[in-house]
Amino acid sequence: MDPVFILVRPQMGENIGASARAMLNFGLERLRIVDPRDGWPNPKAVAMASGAGRLLDHAGLFPDVKAATADVDYLFATTARSRELTKPIMTPERAMEHARALTAAGKRVGVLFGPERTGLENEDVVLANAIITVPVNPDFFSLNLAQCVLLTAYEWRRQTVEVPPEVMEMARTDFASGIEVEKLGDHFEDRLAEAGFFHPAEKEAGMKLNLRNMWSRLNLTRADVQTLHGMLRQIAWKLKQ
C-alpha cells in the first residue's frame, strides 16, 4: 500500500490543492487533512488541484494528528528545524527508500507535513519514527508546503518506477546506420578534397581520421545524414555556377 500523506493544520486552500496535484503527479492518492484552518471542503483547494480533485474528494478529515495516524505502522515527520528529540534524520531519498521497503513488507507508512507558517510542533514530531529533512540552503530553509510534498512524492516515485536517466526522443526517424554514416564521410571527404582542405598532404590521413571520429560521436539520425548530404550538394552546385 502506498504511503499516506498527512497535511497537519494547513492554512491555505491553495496549498492543499497544490499538494494534491503534486501527489498525483507521482502516483500517490492517499491524502489526509488534519484540522485545516479555513474549514473543509475548501473551494480554493479544488481550484488549485485542477485534475487532482479526486484526491480532495476522498481525503480523510481528522481532528488531530493522533487520530490521523492511528492506523499507521511507521510515521515520518518532515521538518527543517533542529529538534531536541533523538530520532533518525533522513533525506527524502533515504526516507522513501525505507518507506518502499516497509510497504513491501506490508507495513502502513505515513508522512506528516506541517502548517505553512510554523511547521510541525514537537507534539506532532514526537509521534514519528523518523524525521525527513530536505538538504536545502541553511540560510534559507523554508519550503512551501506543496514543494515539500512534491519533493517527497518525487523520491517515492523514483523508488518504485524504473526510469532511464537519459533517452533520445526520435522525431519520426531512426539513427543512421554505420554504412549511411560512412557514405556521408565519403561525401564530405570528396568535397573537402576538391576545396583543398587536406593540406599539407602529410596530415591528410590524420585529418580524415578526426573527421570520421567526429561523425561517429554525433549519433546522427537518418534525417541528419540526408540534410548534410543535401547541404553539400547545394554548396557544390552553387560554386559551379
Side-chain angles (χ1 to χ4, degrees):
M1 184 178 292
D2 291 347
V4 57
F5 278 20
I6 305 162
L7 310 186
V8 179
R9 300 181 296 277
Q11 297 171 299
M12 297 178 62
E14 293 89 342
N15 281 331
I16 299 172
S19 296
R21 189 170 182 173
M23 288 175 63
L24 192 56
N25 280 151
F26 297 104
L28 291 169
E29 300 192 28
R30 301 179 65 221
L31 174 64
R32 294 178 184 177
I33 303 170
V34 174
D35 189 23
R37 183 191 66 182
D38 296 337
W40 195 256
N42 187 310
K44 292 182 178 179
V46 175
M48 192 67 182
S50 188
R54 71 173 184 269
L55 270 69
L56 304 181
D57 294 338
H58 297 99
L61 183 63
F62 295 84
D64 54 49
V65 175
K66 285 186 179 180
T69 60
D71 63 342
V72 171
D73 298 311
Y74 195 98
L75 184 63
F76 293 97
T78 60
T79 178
R81 291 187 287 135
S82 60
R83 306 281 179 166
E84 295 181 359
L85 300 170
T86 303
K87 292 184 184 294
I89 299 175
M90 306 180 187
T91 64
E93 179 181 19
R94 170 61 186 133
M96 291 301 97
E97 179 185 27
H98 189 39
R100 183 72 183 93
L102 289 166
T103 57
K107 302 297 183 182
R108 290 166 293 191
V109 175
V111 185
L112 296 177
F113 299 88
E116 295 90 324
R117 187 174 63 84
T118 61
L120 294 170
E121 301 294 337
N122 276 356
E123 289 74 14
D124 306 316
V125 178
V126 76
L127 300 173
N129 301 98
I131 289 172
I132 300 175
T133 295
V134 180
V136 295
N137 177 2
D139 295 325
F140 188 67
F141 56 79
S142 176
L143 277 176
N144 174 272
L145 170 59
Q147 290 174 326
C148 192
V149 169
L150 184 143
L151 283 169
T152 309
Y154 166 73
E155 291 297 347
W156 168 258
R157 181 76 171 178
R158 286 212 311 138
Q159 297 298 328
T160 55
V161 177
E162 190 68 32
V163 178
E166 180 178 339
V167 295
M168 176 66 76
E169 183 70 28
M170 303 303 291
R172 299 183 300 278
T173 187
D174 299 317
F175 283 116
S177 66
I179 189 65
E180 287 170 329
V181 174
E182 182 180 351
K183 294 293 186 183
L184 177 65
D186 292 342
H187 193 178
F188 259 89
E189 287 181 9
D190 290 344
R191 297 301 181 215
L192 291 171
E194 292 172 4
F197 177 76
F198 299 113
H199 180 80
E202 59 269 22
K203 292 187 176 181
E204 180 176 348
M207 295 169 76
K208 288 183 176 180
L209 185 65
N210 287 338
L211 283 171
R212 296 287 175 167
N213 185 52
M214 180 181 71
W215 300 129
S216 64
R217 198 172 62 239
L218 291 178
N219 287 329
L220 296 169
T221 66
R222 285 178 171 169
D224 294 333
V225 169
Q226 292 168 2
T227 299
L228 290 166
H229 276 303
M231 290 165 60
L232 287 174
R233 285 191 291 268
Q234 182 63 25
I235 291 170
W237 176 81
K238 189 67 176 178
L239 291 174
K240 289 178 181 177
Q241 300 305 306

